[in-house]
Amino acid sequence: MNAPRPDCAAAMPAAERESDACAPVCAPQRVTLPYDTPIFLVGMMGAGKTTIGRSLARVLGREFVDLDHELESRCGVRVPVIFEIEGEAGFRKRESTALAHCAARRGIVLATGGGAILAPENRAVLREQGIVVYLRASVDELYRRTCRDRNRPLLATADPRGTLRDLLTLREPLYREVAHLTMETGCTPISTLVKHLLPKLQAYEKQA
């Protein structure tokens, strides 16, 4: 008897599977957009920007860029180390520089950091230079996805759930301000989210 075929989630690298507690499934076939405008994913830490971004980029045949990883590559150290040495203000300054550089690239899918929308100049770059998709999730869902992640300096508090709640209250209006499209992530499989997002991106015509 033939051995059962492994599903896509089992075949994925462990790090990618663990980045979102909702197991991704097989991605849709390749889709082409009628433009090369960059697509920017914004949302809270744990909203699924990296996992969804990778899947979306594969389907679109685009390069995927993670802003935090880009920043770490430029600095040569991890994000928590930048926070420790330079504080949040220093980190945000470096983040703005990296964002401006990445946003100028065509044909990419860019996952931003959760706080990238805090600076007015960053919101202007995102809104004007790309199509911004806000990936939204509840506080409970965000906590479930991030509670074991030690690479989140802002959550190194006695009450990380409360911190997430306060951050979302502060940032929600800014995410909505900058977004051209909004999607609730919840616990929907990654392939389903991407499938629902694709026609919205295909139909979207960015206003000059």
Side-chain angles (χ1 to χ4, degrees):
M1 185 172 63
N2 292 334
R5 245 181 113 182
D7 60 20
C8 280
M12 293 176 67
E16 187 165 345
R17 293 201 309 271
E18 293 169 359
S19 63
D20 190 315
C22 303
V25 294
C26 299
Q29 293 183 342
R30 181 69 58 84
V31 171
T32 300
L33 297 179
Y35 49 78
D36 66 351
T37 307
I39 297 168
F40 303 138
L41 304 181
V42 304
M44 287 285 291
M45 61 185 89
K49 299 184 297 293
T50 297
T51 309
I52 294 170
R54 284 198 185 108
S55 182
L56 180 63
R58 280 196 298 267
V59 174
L60 295 177
R62 290 187 171 209
E63 179 186 3
F64 172 72
V65 180
D66 183 292
L67 188 60
D68 280 349
H69 294 171
E70 183 79 11
L71 188 53
E72 289 176 342
S73 176
R74 287 165 168 260
C75 295
V77 296
R78 302 296 299 276
V79 166
V81 177
I82 302 173
F83 264 80
E84 182 180 350
I85 295 174
E86 300 185 353
E88 184 173 0
F91 171 80
R92 296 299 176 198
K93 183 176 180 180
R94 290 182 180 275
E95 181 180 55
S96 294
T97 300
L99 175 62
H101 175 79
C102 291
R105 297 160 64 178
R106 309 297 292 182
I108 67 168
V109 174
L110 174 69
T112 65
I117 43 75
L118 293 174
E121 61 269 27
N122 290 355
R123 297 199 298 277
V125 166
L126 291 167
R127 184 80 188 177
E128 294 168 9
Q129 297 193 32
I131 297 174
V132 183
V133 181
Y134 171 28
L135 301 179
R136 192 175 186 280
S138 69
V139 170
D140 286 343
E141 188 66 27
L142 294 170
Y143 179 73
R144 184 177 67 80
R145 297 176 186 176
T146 60
C147 61
R148 290 184 295 273
D149 191 340
R150 303 305 178 200
N151 199 37
R152 309 279 187 181
L154 291 179
L155 297 185
T157 67
D159 181 15
R161 186 193 294 269
T163 299
L164 281 169
R165 183 182 59 249
D166 293 344
L167 288 173
L168 182 58
T169 299
L170 171 68
R171 295 174 179 181
E172 172 85 6
L174 302 179
Y175 292 135
R176 292 193 178 278
E177 172 191 326
V178 77
H180 298 101
L181 301 169
T182 299
M183 288 204 70
E184 298 283 341
T185 59
C187 200
T188 305
I190 300 302
S191 65
T192 302
L193 288 170
V194 171
K195 182 178 179 180
H196 290 166
L197 180 56
L198 287 170
K200 297 178 183 294
L201 290 171
Q202 288 177 307
Y204 192 84
E205 293 186 11
K206 189 172 176 62
Q207 301 300 314

